[in-house]
Amino acid sequence: MSKAIQTHGKSKSSPAYRIWCGMRRRCTNEKNADYSRYGGRGIKVCDRWQAFEHFLADMGEPPAGMTIERTDNDGDYGPGNCKWATRAEQGANTSRVRRVSIDGKEMSLKAACEKLGINPGTAYQRLHRGATIEEAIR
């Protein structure tokens, strides 16, 4: 039996273990394809999560179809800033997504268009022509 299984009861092929390894590689391995968007931007894995068993204790196994997401896209990986999310939820929380505030609630431009009944394509065309976000969603 491997030391990993003896230590935390999970094999190296468990979803949580694979996600933990990927998270650490993105933040520390300059040869990783995604390093520039993580470690290269200063994103780190908290000290506690350097040990897989602590990561597993805090996050548990991911529900089917979910991956790890940082709530604050500019914050580090750690218990106070991470949750399990779907790919669609993650897609709305990237640095490339334009954000807008509607009725005091921050959301993606796409979500704001859906809430206001505006075609997102129309809003993006308006932005491309030089409109402000507020003008684009009117």
Side-chain angles (χ1 to χ4, degrees):
M1 186 177 288
S2 75
K3 183 178 179 184
I5 292 173
Q6 291 172 4
T7 304
H8 48 71
K10 296 290 179 180
S11 74
K12 291 184 178 184
S13 63
S14 77
Y17 189 82
R18 287 192 314 270
I19 289 168
W20 176 75
C21 288
M23 168 187 73
R24 294 179 73 231
R25 279 192 298 267
R26 288 189 297 275
C27 294
T28 61
N29 183 352
E30 293 180 14
K31 294 181 181 181
N32 184 281
D34 295 322
Y35 177 81
S36 64
R37 294 185 295 133
Y38 294 87
R41 283 198 315 124
I43 306 299
K44 298 177 188 77
V45 177
C46 72
D47 290 340
R48 175 173 168 76
W49 283 7
Q50 296 302 318
F52 174 69
E53 51 270 14
H54 294 159
F55 170 79
L56 185 63
D58 292 341
M59 294 294 292
E61 282 288 342
M66 297 209 166
T67 60
I68 194 164
E69 176 184 55
R70 288 171 294 120
T71 306
D72 173 2
N73 195 43
D74 294 320
D76 292 338
Y77 284 101
N81 192 39
C82 290
K83 65 179 185 172
W84 295 123
T86 65
R87 293 277 182 201
E89 289 171 313
Q90 284 190 330
N93 187 30
T94 70
S95 58
R96 297 181 301 256
V97 171
R98 294 184 185 220
R99 309 294 292 175
V100 64
S101 181
I102 303 290
D103 299 329
K105 184 178 178 189
E106 187 176 294
M107 61 189 75
S108 69
L109 177 59
K110 182 179 177 187
C113 288
E114 290 169 0
K115 180 176 179 155
L116 297 172
I118 297 168
N119 181 315
T122 301
Y124 285 105
Q125 286 177 352
R126 291 172 180 167
L127 288 169
H128 183 70
R129 292 184 193 133
T132 66
I133 288 181
E134 290 75 19
E135 293 168 337
I137 60 175
R138 278 194 221 140

